[in-house]
Amino acid sequence: MLQTTHKPFASELRDKGSRLDLLRLNPNLKSMFRGLILLSALIPMVLASAELERLNHVVAIVGETPITMGDIQRQTDPLERSIYQQYPNNPALRRQKVLEIKQQALETLVERQLILMEFDAQGYQLPEKIVDKQVQERIRDRFGDRLTLTQTLQAQGVTFEAFRKDIKTTVIVDFLTAENVNSVSLVSPSEIKAYYDTHLEDFQQEKLIRLRMIFLKANPENRTAAEAMLKEIRVKVEAGTDFASLAKVYHQGSQRNQGGDWGWVDRNTLRSDLSEEAFKLEEGQASDIMTTDEGCYLLYAQEIKPSEPKSLANVQGEIEAILLAEEKNRLRTNWIDELKKKNFVRYY
């Protein structure tokens, strides 16, 4: 009975003494490999071309000036990186946030170009020495020296000329905006009062607690004894013994001489576990014993101020700032709308 032994293909070649290359044995395979090599060389070129086409895509025209995706990208790159770091596991929200900042960047670029056109139309001229001064201040404040600026611009692929042009544009935009928008300086008392009355929920004084505590340091060896001690103290407090007097004896914290007094605290004064327990208390009530890695706590709510609206006098300045900002925003929106009516603007 004959038996056939199947050897690996490479072994068969060696057995036959063949020195032929695999590609020489199969001309079609050789052509395929050549095609793959050519394709691998073309793919980066195709991708680069597609990216360049995307960046050069015009999304708006203001007057005769196009605004491209590349212009928007340069505005949003730092923010996009921040968004990706902030929402690494939420791609849907990430896309939404990126879309929002791109839309905002587009509107900002359109508005800046409209303002530049209005600057020219009004016959204004900006002395170059003012731009030079602003450039020097920007270098000093943000980069420290010219070398750091140069290195930063090179890393970002930005020329010094583009950097200077951006500063010049900012100076022009700020100047003309101030001329047309920042004329509002006063808000009447009646406007402040009306805003206060309709936004009381925005001016609530948080609930406050006049808090005292007794803290005993504890480790695994003496934790049970510390808890027992605080339970005894709690019984005394419930029986009417002054908490502050007990804290001056037992408290092992920096407020011992003050009877464990933390003063008036809100929910953000203490760390979350202590705050949660403290804000459950009624006035004059001591907490349950709280045990943590560093020790044991007994909290006491000496007084409580419930949440209530802040007085108008306390928030008048805050309301005035809000109303001024709203009015400036309204004036700016109206001004930009007028500029859009005067000039050619098209979105794509």
Side-chain angles (χ1 to χ4, degrees), residues 65-131:
T65 302
I67 296 174
T68 67
M69 278 299 300
D71 296 326
I72 294 175
Q73 195 73 47
R74 282 187 288 274
Q75 296 284 325
T76 61
D77 264 346
L79 289 174
E80 284 191 52
R81 287 193 291 269
S82 175
I83 288 172
Y84 273 79
Q85 293 171 357
Q86 191 173 357
Y87 307 102
N89 301 317
N90 194 334
L93 182 58
R94 199 166 61 224
R95 284 192 296 270
Q96 177 188 337
K97 294 291 184 182
V98 169
L99 179 60
E100 288 174 359
I101 64 170
K102 285 185 181 297
Q103 290 173 335
Q104 184 178 359
L106 172 59
E107 286 306 312
T108 298
L109 290 169
V110 168
E111 291 176 7
R112 284 167 69 90
Q113 187 57 37
L114 285 168
I115 294 171
L116 289 176
M117 293 168 61
E118 182 67 10
F119 185 84
D120 292 337
Q122 294 293 331
Y124 289 112
Q125 291 186 346
L126 179 63
E128 292 302 318
K129 64 180 182 181
I130 293 180
V131 180

Side-chain angles (χ1 to χ4, degrees), residues 20-173:
L20 293 176
D21 183 85
L22 178 60
L23 296 180
R24 292 177 60 194
L25 286 176
N26 192 334
N28 292 332
L29 192 59
K30 183 177 181 179
S31 298
M32 183 180 72
F33 272 102
R34 283 178 175 171
L36 288 173
I37 292 172
L38 179 61
L39 181 61
S40 65
L42 287 175
I43 286 176
M45 298 172 61
V46 171
L47 292 177
S49 176
E51 176 64 9
L52 182 61
E53 183 177 353
R54 184 186 73 84
L55 293 176
N56 287 334
H57 175 68
V58 175
V59 293
I61 293 180
V62 183
E64 297 181 354
T65 302
I67 296 174
T68 67
M69 278 299 300
D71 296 326
I72 294 175
Q73 195 73 47
R74 282 187 288 274
Q75 296 284 325
T76 61
D77 264 346
L79 289 174
E80 284 191 52
R81 287 193 291 269
S82 175
I83 288 172
Y84 273 79
Q85 293 171 357
Q86 191 173 357
Y87 307 102
N89 301 317
N90 194 334
L93 182 58
R94 199 166 61 224
R95 284 192 296 270
Q96 177 188 337
K97 294 291 184 182
V98 169
L99 179 60
E100 288 174 359
I101 64 170
K102 285 185 181 297
Q103 290 173 335
Q104 184 178 359
L106 172 59
E107 286 306 312
T108 298
L109 290 169
V110 168
E111 291 176 7
R112 284 167 69 90
Q113 187 57 37
L114 285 168
I115 294 171
L116 289 176
M117 293 168 61
E118 182 67 10
F119 185 84
D120 292 337
Q122 294 293 331
Y124 289 112
Q125 291 186 346
L126 179 63
E128 292 302 318
K129 64 180 182 181
I130 293 180
V131 180
D132 292 336
K133 181 180 178 182
Q134 291 297 315
V135 168
Q136 293 304 317
E137 289 181 0
R138 179 77 65 87
I139 293 173
R140 182 194 64 210
D141 296 341
R142 296 192 182 182
F143 303 96
D145 54 52
R146 187 67 174 258
L147 176 60
T148 304
L149 167 69
T150 302
Q151 293 172 340
T152 303
L153 294 181
Q154 288 176 347
Q156 296 174 348
V158 178
T159 65
F160 178 79
E161 290 72 21
F163 170 76
R164 188 180 188 279
K165 181 180 178 181
D166 182 68
I167 293 176
K168 182 176 182 179
T169 298
T170 300
V171 173
I172 292 173
V173 169

Side-chain angles (χ1 to χ4, degrees), residues 181-220:
V181 173
N182 292 341
S183 57
V184 181
S185 58
L186 294 175
V187 178
S188 69
S190 61
E191 290 176 304
I192 294 174
K193 179 65 165 60
Y195 188 93
Y196 174 78
D197 290 339
T198 55
H199 294 80
L200 279 176
E201 68 279 3
D202 296 333
F203 302 107
Q204 292 291 314
Q205 173 65 56
E206 290 186 72
K207 178 181 177 180
L208 298 175
I209 296 178
R210 176 73 182 278
L211 183 71
R212 293 184 184 271
M213 73 168 62
I214 296 175
F215 168 71
L216 300 181
K217 297 177 183 178
N219 54 47

